[in-house]
Amino acid sequence: INAEYMGFLLRMSKTTGSDNQAMERAKQTAKILSNNGLKSKEANLVDKRVEFFRGDDMVSQLTLCIPEIGKLFGENYTKGDQKAAIDLGQRLLKEGQLIKLERGKEIKKFKWPKKLIYANNKNFDDKGFYCWGFPRSAKSHVFLLVVVVTLILGVLLFPVWPLKVKIAVWYVSVFMLLAIIGLILIRYLVYIVFWIFSCEFWIFPNLFDDDKGIVESFIPAASFSLRSGDTFALIFARLVCLCLIVYVSYSIVKEPRMIASFSDASFKGVNDILNWGQLKLEGNTTSQSPQTKSLKDIENELNNDPISGKSEPNAPEAETEDDDKVQKI
């Protein structure tokens, strides 16, 4: 593997005129495939990060875009010609502009592996993974590096931000957290309702899929399917969930004030959290609630007990009166 990697670097350092033409064709091919929706991910390859794509995705995209890509190579292909797409992929492999990869050693096999190694089989097919052999543009990397460094410096300088900006960030953070929690609760509540009737309905089914990107996690918006072959235990669990839902619904209908009291308590809790954060940001850490008593106030109340009518300062006078009574006796 190391010898092949070094050979690849040597080929890249000794590019001729024909190699430059092949590289330009490969770059144009990559651009066409990317614009038509070829999905790609990043993974570790030996000692570097590479952007790779699946073989089946590339074959399908090559088959759709083969007329346009064929013109780059001086060929006339018809749309949907899968054999021509495979031949074109084999040509890219032979020219060194496309590199075939395979899975590395992983405990769990994902659809998009995290580690890749160079494949021993050099034939182009839809079974493996591929990456482009030409170096990627450094402009995007420089831009991402500048963005990351700027964000890190911005977070480190948070204490010197304007107070209004810090309060706005605090409010946005709290509301985003509440929105995420609310979305998760609604997803599971809707799923349970449909699950009772042997159906599976998910809102944003890819929301917690590690293999999906940020945008792909919200696509599609919903999914629906029917369940079959459930056991007696699952049927019994559905009946229990149905009884609980009916009982809760009946309690709400019988006591409509429960919703109002719950809403008031929720809004009050959110307001308390927002006010607490705002006071922390303003530096007002010594403010106490009107109902909060300090330790000194509690000691004074214990020493001055109104029920017994005794107080600590008058204790010596009480002892003097008892001594006078003893002397008289």
Side-chain angles (χ1 to χ4, degrees):
I1 294 175
N2 293 333
E4 184 174 357
Y5 181 53
M6 294 301 296
F8 166 71
L9 294 178
L10 184 62
R11 290 196 308 271
M12 295 306 299
S13 61
K14 296 182 179 180
T15 56
T16 61
S18 59
D19 292 334
N20 290 331
Q21 293 179 0
M23 185 183 299
E24 289 300 323
R25 289 196 300 265
K27 288 182 178 181
Q28 292 297 325
T29 302
K31 184 178 180 181
I32 294 172
L33 294 176
S34 178
N35 293 336
N36 283 273
L38 179 62
K39 297 181 180 179
S40 62
K41 298 283 186 179
E42 285 193 354
N44 293 324
L45 176 62
V46 188
D47 57 348
K48 64 176 181 177
R49 296 282 294 178
V50 295
E51 185 177 356
F52 73 101
F53 38 87
R54 296 175 57 86
D56 51 356
D57 293 338
M58 185 175 184
V59 171
S60 61
Q61 291 297 327
L62 275 176
T63 305
L64 293 175
C65 306
I66 193 65
E68 184 179 0
I69 297 175
K71 294 178 181 179
L72 300 175
F73 294 84
E75 303 288 345
N76 293 323
Y77 295 122
T78 58
K79 186 176 181 180
D81 191 350
Q82 187 173 359
K83 183 178 182 303
I86 294 177
D87 292 340
L88 187 59
Q90 186 65 40
R91 181 174 176 177
L92 289 170
L93 277 175
K94 186 178 179 180
E95 293 177 351
Q97 304 303 323
L98 192 65
I99 301 175
K100 189 173 183 179
L101 310 171
E102 60 185 17
R103 293 179 182 273
K105 293 182 179 180
E106 291 181 336
I107 299 176
K108 183 179 179 181
K109 288 188 176 182
F110 297 96
K111 181 179 179 181
W112 296 89
K114 309 298 183 183
K115 295 181 180 180
L116 294 170
I117 58 176
Y118 292 99
N120 296 322
N121 182 11
K122 301 303 179 183
N123 295 324
F124 182 81
D125 52 34
D126 59 349
K127 303 298 182 184
F129 305 94
Y130 299 90
C131 70
W132 295 111
F134 54 83
R136 292 187 298 174
S137 175
K139 294 181 181 179
S140 60
H141 291 274
V142 173
F143 175 75
L144 291 176
L145 180 62
V146 172
V147 171
V148 171
V149 172
T150 303
L151 290 176
I152 293 175
L153 291 177
V155 173
L156 293 177
L157 295 176
F158 181 79
V160 299
W161 286 15
L163 180 60
K164 292 183 178 180
V165 177
K166 291 193 286 187
I167 293 175
V169 171
W170 166 248
Y171 273 65
V172 170
S173 302
V174 172
F175 284 119
M176 286 184 63
L177 179 61
L178 293 176
I180 293 173
I181 295 174
L183 177 60
I184 294 173
L185 293 177
I186 292 173
R187 286 182 76 248
Y188 283 107
L189 180 61
V190 173
Y191 174 79
I192 291 174
V193 172
F194 280 87
W195 175 74
I196 292 174
F197 301 99
S198 298
C199 302
E200 286 191 357
F201 181 80
W202 281 108
I203 301 174
F204 301 125
N206 297 325
L207 186 62
F208 297 109
D209 192 347
D210 295 336
D211 296 331
K212 303 294 182 181
I214 297 176
V215 178
E216 295 174 349
S217 299
F218 296 94
I219 300 174
S223 65
F224 178 82
S225 62
L226 297 176
R227 294 177 59 91
S228 61
D230 292 336
T231 60
F232 176 77
L234 287 176
I235 296 175
F236 179 75
R238 288 196 186 97
L239 293 176
V240 172
C241 292
L242 181 61
C243 294
L244 289 175
I245 292 175
V246 171
Y247 174 75
V248 172
S249 302
Y250 174 75
S251 301
I252 293 174
V253 172
K254 188 177 180 181
E255 295 290 339
R257 292 179 298 177
M258 292 176 58
I259 299 178
S261 60
F262 178 77
S263 301
D264 294 339
S266 300
F267 283 114
K268 186 177 181 301
V270 173
N271 289 329
D272 290 342
I273 294 174
L274 293 174
N275 293 333
W276 173 83
Q278 185 171 350
L279 291 176
K280 288 289 185 180
L281 293 174
E282 292 175 351
N284 189 5
T285 58
T286 59
S287 62
Q288 297 179 351
S289 174
Q291 299 178 355
T292 304
K293 296 181 180 180
S294 63
L295 182 60
K296 187 175 182 180
D297 294 336
I298 296 174
E299 291 178 352
N300 292 334
E301 289 182 0
L302 293 176
N303 293 331
N304 301 307
D305 191 357
I307 298 177
S308 60
K310 295 180 181 181
S311 60
E312 188 176 2
N314 297 331
E317 296 180 2
E319 293 178 358
T320 305
E321 292 177 358
D322 292 340
D323 293 340
D324 294 340
K325 291 181 180 179
V326 171
Q327 291 177 0
K328 289 180 180 180
I329 293 174

